[in-house]
Amino acid sequence: MHILGFMDTPSEGSIVFDGLEVAKLEPDLRAWYRSNRVGFVFQSFNLLPRLTVLENVALPLLYRENSDPVANAAAAAVALERVGMSHRLDHRPSQLSGGERQRVAIARAIVGSPSIIFADEPTGNLDVKNVDRILDLLGSLIKEGITVVLVTHDLSVAENAHRIISMRAGLVQEDRTR
Amino acid sequence: MKFFDRIRPAIINGLRELQANKIRSLLSMSGIILGVASLVAMVTVVQGMVGNFRQFVDAMGGIEKITVSREQLPKEQEHLAELSEGITMRDVERIRKTVPLVDNISPEARVGFERLIIDGSETSTYVTGVTADYLPVAKRWVDPGFGRFISDLDVLNMNDVIVLGSAVVPELFGANVDPVGKVIKIRGRRFTVIGILNNIEGSGMQIRSANSRSSGGSWRWRNSGALIPVSTAQAKFIGNDRLSGLGLRIGDAELLRDAVEQTERTILAGHKGLRDFAITTNEQTLEDFRKTEAAFKLSLGGVAGISLFVGGIGIMNVMLASINERIREIGVRKAVGARGSDLFLQFLSEAAVISVVGGLIGLVVSMGIVSLMNYILMQALPTGAVATLDWVIMAQGLAFSVVVGLVAGVYPALRAASLDPIEALRHE
């Protein structure tokens, strides 16, 4: 997952994104891809505790060139609107429930209009009701044309995907498209 | 502007971190606070001393003054003591003729500590015989409306006239009395007051002089004393033609050494080779003081430098601790697109924020230290005022702390920048 998300380089094999060999990219260029093309959603949310919800969501935009605080905040507010979290802009992550935090994390993933979102066990820390809500949210993103790569141990979550690749001990067991 | 856009969020972040960890930040800042405070306070106080010493030397006649005084004959000439005439008006004439570098010569004949008596009041002060040249040599004057000084005619005629120091007047006449024209008795002789010397007021921090008497502070002795014509002093009090010394003023301080040398040769020739005199200048005093000043600056600078160094270590320490606590944050920031340089800048800015805040607190503390020292000095010297804080020094102190903060922040910031994002995200 980290290799897919431009955070690491593969020890063997290759990953091609937009026709580019990821392994050969300079660290700063990989950072550029993370900031401009990719969104991340983590199992443990990984929101920064001292920043407000709005600031957390605007974080990826901060590291773009020509970053403008006002435009960033506006874009973050739009992203939060889409995940239904507009009423919590000035809260801290610690004041939110798990489901709310994950929705904020998704807002952060989509704020930069990425072409692909990597979700690492995004439902692992959530109760059933929130799992459904998050899956609906991700489903709506897919309808908008964003690719979502989701890693999960939960088969019922996996059943929502268009293509399921089963892995065991690092090896691909099965690759089926529905 | 673009650069500022990049560091602005980092600065806001730094302030937030500061607020979130108040006690820890304050502790880490303590070194910087003390460093800046001691640096600024000490530089201020030393500068105050320097300024005052300059004034002091100036009051002593400045660097262009040469003093010739009586001296015991050296051992190898002791048996010739009877031949010694001492310093006399003849020396004045010789120097005037043969040492053109000397502009003014002020012969001085000390009468002694005398009682000045008027009807119903008396005071004691130093009485010295001088000529009109006393004014330019001592850099003194008589203010308009305060009479006149001793003239050549007074000296020629051995007039019984007297010029008083400004501090003597109220002691003798009380306040609001014009003493010019009044008559004063000294050892039964009647002297007419013809003028008052200008009042010397010290400003800035003052150095207590060995010559200062009573509680009036160091400038008081400059304003006390009384002057009479040198001829009157010799004829009516001293009883011989000897002088206690000469004050010489030269036009160009650069030629001080030449002037001293020529003066020495002239007097020595006139005294038939007898070394019954000594020549001193304020140059030596000034030189001694310069050395003291340099030593002060070096040692105080060292102390301030060490505390700033310790302050830097404190900042580095707290930055490293803070980074350890926020490894996950660093991972998240990297995951969403931060480059190493972004994080470097962020943590460097945080170190800078700590040092700036610490430096500002240090400046406030230094104000406290300086006013405390002023208070203490005021107790010691009632008339003496003090050292004032200079904005330039304060700005330099603050700049110093920022440099220390930035240097101390480089290593922690490099560490944060080079963290592996995956390791950082896994960190619990």
Side-chain angles (χ1 to χ4, degrees), chain B residues 281-343:
Chain B
T281 63
N282 287 330
E283 195 191 28
Q284 193 56 46
T285 326
L286 203 62
E287 190 55 36
D288 287 349
F289 179 70
R290 282 206 189 104
K291 278 181 194 153
T292 315
E293 181 193 343
F296 253 106
K297 276 190 173 162
L298 206 68
S299 52
L300 293 174
V303 169
I306 287 169
S307 42
L308 275 175
F309 180 72
V310 172
I313 292 176
I315 288 184
M316 193 185 287
N317 194 18
V318 84
M319 288 303 298
L320 287 173
S322 159
I323 283 166
N324 249 339
E325 267 174 26
R326 290 152 68 194
I327 285 181
R328 228 185 145 84
E329 172 188 332
I330 295 166
V332 172
R333 285 181 185 271
K334 285 205 163 173
V336 300
R339 288 166 293 175
S341 62
D342 291 317
L343 288 164

Side-chain angles (χ1 to χ4, degrees), chain A residues 34 44 46 50 55 63, chain B residues 16-17 328 333-334 422:
Chain A
R34 291 201 294 274
S44 50
N46 278 335
R50 283 213 237 294
E55 288 166 329
Y63 297 115
Chain B
R16 259 191 206 159
E17 286 298 320
R328 228 185 145 84
R333 285 181 185 271
K334 285 205 163 173
I422 301 157

Side-chain angles (χ1 to χ4, degrees), chain A residues 2 7-8 28 31 34-35 40 42 44 46 48 50-52 55 59-60 62-63 66-67 69 92 108, chain B residues 2 5 8-9 13 16-17 20-21 328-329 332-340 342 346 421-422 425-426:
Chain A
H2 289 136
M7 289 217 272
D8 205 353
D28 276 4
R34 291 201 294 274
S35 147
F40 273 103
F42 304 95
S44 50
N46 278 335
L48 301 186
R50 283 213 237 294
L51 302 187
T52 64
E55 288 166 329
L59 199 60
L62 184 65
Y63 297 115
N66 303 320
S67 173
R92 310 271 156 177
R108 181 178 65 188
Chain B
K2 206 180 159 194
D5 277 342
R8 184 171 49 190
N13 232 329
R16 259 191 206 159
E17 286 298 320
N21 305 295
R328 228 185 145 84
E329 172 188 332
V332 172
R333 285 181 185 271
K334 285 205 163 173
V336 300
R339 288 166 293 175
D342 291 317
Q346 178 190 339
I422 301 157
L425 275 175
R426 280 196 195 121

Side-chain angles (χ1 to χ4, degrees), chain B residues 163-319:
Chain B
V163 172
L164 300 175
S166 60
V168 178
V169 177
E171 284 173 13
L172 207 50
F173 297 96
N176 301 323
V177 175
D178 181 8
V180 175
K182 296 266 190 322
V183 173
I184 292 174
K185 276 193 196 165
I186 302 171
R187 289 198 213 165
R189 286 198 77 85
R190 297 161 61 83
F191 284 84
T192 307
V193 177
I194 54 168
I196 317 282
L197 277 178
N198 66 307
N199 190 44
I200 296 181
E201 281 171 40
S203 61
M205 200 171 66
Q206 297 180 352
I207 291 169
R208 207 175 173 84
S209 159
N211 296 2
S212 69
R213 286 186 304 271
S214 74
S215 59
S218 59
W219 299 98
R220 199 180 159 77
W221 65 275
R222 300 284 303 165
N223 288 326
S224 68
L227 304 172
I228 60 175
V230 66
S231 50
T232 312
Q234 287 176 327
K236 292 164 185 167
F237 292 112
I238 299 168
N240 58 44
D241 63 352
R242 293 191 176 190
L243 297 169
S244 40
L246 307 175
L248 313 182
R249 173 155 302 280
I250 60 168
D252 186 354
E254 296 292 307
L255 298 171
L256 180 70
R257 284 181 190 191
D258 295 332
V260 167
E261 204 176 300
Q262 290 172 21
T263 304
E264 187 174 10
R265 250 187 272 133
T266 304
I267 300 177
L268 204 56
H271 289 202
K272 305 180 187 95
L274 289 177
R275 286 204 172 270
D276 54 359
F277 64 97
I279 297 181
T280 51
T281 63
N282 287 330
E283 195 191 28
Q284 193 56 46
T285 326
L286 203 62
E287 190 55 36
D288 287 349
F289 179 70
R290 282 206 189 104
K291 278 181 194 153
T292 315
E293 181 193 343
F296 253 106
K297 276 190 173 162
L298 206 68
S299 52
L300 293 174
V303 169
I306 287 169
S307 42
L308 275 175
F309 180 72
V310 172
I313 292 176
I315 288 184
M316 193 185 287
N317 194 18
V318 84
M319 288 303 298

Side-chain angles (χ1 to χ4, degrees), chain A residues 12 53 55-56 59 77 80 83 96 107 114 133 138 150 173:
Chain A
E12 48 182 296
V53 164
E55 288 166 329
N56 262 294
L59 199 60
L80 282 162
V83 299
L96 304 180
R133 196 154 180 188
L138 291 174
L150 186 147
Q173 299 282 308

Side-chain angles (χ1 to χ4, degrees), chain B residues 113-179:
Chain B
F113 201 61
E114 298 291 335
R115 289 196 328 183
L116 277 55
I117 303 166
I118 60 165
D119 283 340
S121 179
E122 69 167 81
T123 186
S124 293
T125 193
Y126 244 90
V127 177
T128 310
V130 299
T131 66
D133 267 354
Y134 173 85
L135 290 187
V137 171
K139 283 189 180 169
R140 300 295 298 268
W141 63 90
V142 173
D143 282 315
F146 288 84
R148 64 171 180 90
F149 195 68
I150 294 161
S151 69
D152 291 341
L153 213 61
D154 290 323
V155 176
L156 202 66
N157 296 339
M158 288 188 230
N159 287 343
D160 287 344
V161 292
I162 189 163
V163 172
L164 300 175
S166 60
V168 178
V169 177
E171 284 173 13
L172 207 50
F173 297 96
N176 301 323
V177 175
D178 181 8

